[in-house]
Amino acid sequence: MSLLSRALPALRLYCIGLAVALHQLLRRLRPGGPPAPVFPTQNGNVAIVTGGAKGIGYHTVKHLARLGMHVIIAGNDESEGQEAVRKIKEETVNEKVEFLHCDLASMKSIRQFVQQFRAKNCPLHVLVNNAGVMLVPERKTEDGFEEHFGLNYLGHFLLTNLLLETLKQSGTRSRNARVITVSSATHYVGRLHLNDLQSRCSYSPHGAYAQSKLALVLFTYRLQHLVTADGSHVTANVVDPGVVNTELYKNVCWATKVVKWMTAWLFFKTPEEGASTSIYAAVSPELEGVGGIYLYNEQRTKSTDVSYDEELQRRLWTESCKMTRICDVGSRDL
């Protein structure tokens, strides 16, 4: 593969990132702007947020807890998770915040997490698939999957499917259960290689990351199709938090780190700002019964054209079922 071919995924990723950052800057410079939305209390509702111990996930958990929800942080760092629980309880005066270990890079860990959650015998009204890695060097998960694809996408695919029955049982006609999956604008430059989902032929951290984010959009649309087909009271939507100043950028090159350090205050959203669309998707009455949409800045937005390819959605779902060794309920839809 030529040097130019190797550089293209990185170039596409940085271009889309720059475009989003500029859009955020222009939005900030506008006078006034809409007031922060006020959401109804969520007493009695239960949510799971992956990666909820820091960054966007932390602020998502904190806001849901402030609304009265029972929130479970799913994460792979016990001490970090328990510290997040302590701080959120203190700030929100909500004792129903807890941490359960879940390593999304391990199918065994995901299954153990689901078993622990089921043992609580509580409903599940909101699942926020938030955790992720970005631009990591080439490496594999415990199960042998490329890490971006395995953790960002397959881990959430398995987790959602294992919790889907509980979500269906918890949703009602007047209040649907909700699955919110965090993707990003990088999905617009993603390419889904069904014959090489593990990026074995030629690894690019930029290409692998963008592919995982595109896969999450395709997964969300397929999930919505399936829950609608069987009449379940569950909605699935995908959110784009924008360019946010979080630890996800720790794997970028030193030059990018310097530029980020110099400009983040101006171009980047804070993690709290980045969480706003996830929170909106989780609790806004405006989205009651609404599924299969892509949200950016709390607004319905068109995702990349290829994400609406129903055959591609179906093929990715089928392949994902094989990889995670679960039953392909979607095959009955053919």
Side-chain angles (χ1 to χ4, degrees), residues 3-233:
L3 185 62
L4 179 60
S5 297
R6 288 179 182 275
L8 274 176
L11 184 60
R12 291 193 192 105
L13 206 65
Y14 288 127
C15 284
I16 196 73
L18 178 61
V20 173
L22 287 171
H23 178 266
Q24 290 178 180
L25 174 61
L26 291 172
R27 195 165 182 260
R28 280 183 175 177
L29 293 175
R30 286 186 202 140
V38 177
F39 300 117
T41 58
Q42 303 291 312
N43 296 324
N45 284 359
V46 181
I48 292 173
V49 181
T50 67
K54 58 186 177 183
I56 293 170
Y58 174 86
H59 289 282
T60 302
V61 173
K62 187 165 76 170
H63 201 112
L64 296 180
R66 191 170 280 137
L67 291 172
M69 256 193 193
H70 173 185
V71 191
I72 297 167
I73 296 172
N76 62 359
D77 188 320
E78 181 79 26
S79 61
E80 185 178 67
Q82 294 298 352
E83 176 62 15
V85 168
R86 184 193 66 76
K87 287 168 63 179
I88 291 170
K89 282 183 175 180
E90 190 176 274
E91 291 183 43
T92 65
V93 199
N94 181 349
E95 288 300 311
K96 291 186 175 181
V97 181
E98 57 183 307
F99 173 86
L100 287 180
H101 183 270
C102 181
D103 182 356
L104 288 164
S106 165
M107 301 291 163
K108 179 181 178 182
S109 178
I110 294 167
R111 292 180 182 278
Q112 288 175 338
F113 168 85
V114 173
Q115 287 178 346
Q116 283 184 289
F117 174 74
R118 285 177 178 164
K120 294 178 177 294
N121 292 314
C122 64
L124 179 61
H125 303 94
V126 174
L127 170 62
V128 183
N129 292 321
N130 166 82
V133 293
M134 184 174 81
L135 307 185
V136 296
E138 186 173 10
R139 59 193 187 203
K140 299 185 185 303
T141 67
E142 180 181 292
D143 304 283
F145 301 116
E146 186 279 316
E147 189 166 345
H148 291 99
F149 188 80
L151 190 157
N152 293 358
Y153 168 67
L154 270 186
H156 285 121
F157 175 87
L158 178 60
L159 179 66
T160 303
N161 274 278
L162 294 179
L163 292 170
L164 192 53
E165 192 55 40
T166 305
L167 285 158
K168 289 179 178 181
Q169 292 170 3
S170 305
T172 65
R173 186 179 297 276
S174 61
R175 179 167 284 190
N176 284 229
R178 304 186 185 192
V179 179
I180 295 92
T181 297
V182 180
S183 180
S184 83
T186 56
H187 90 276
Y188 287 106
V189 296
R191 303 285 187 274
L192 192 77
H193 303 287
L194 276 172
N195 296 323
D196 186 27
L197 291 171
Q198 307 307 317
S199 304
R200 293 191 180 101
C201 293
S202 178
Y203 182 77
S204 156
H206 302 83
Y209 175 69
Q211 176 181 246
S212 72
K213 291 300 181 179
L214 173 58
L216 287 168
V217 181
L218 289 159
F219 153 70
T220 299
Y221 294 166
R222 180 60 179 172
L223 175 60
Q224 183 61 53
H225 175 82
L226 294 174
V227 294
T228 299
D230 71 10
S232 299
H233 299 302

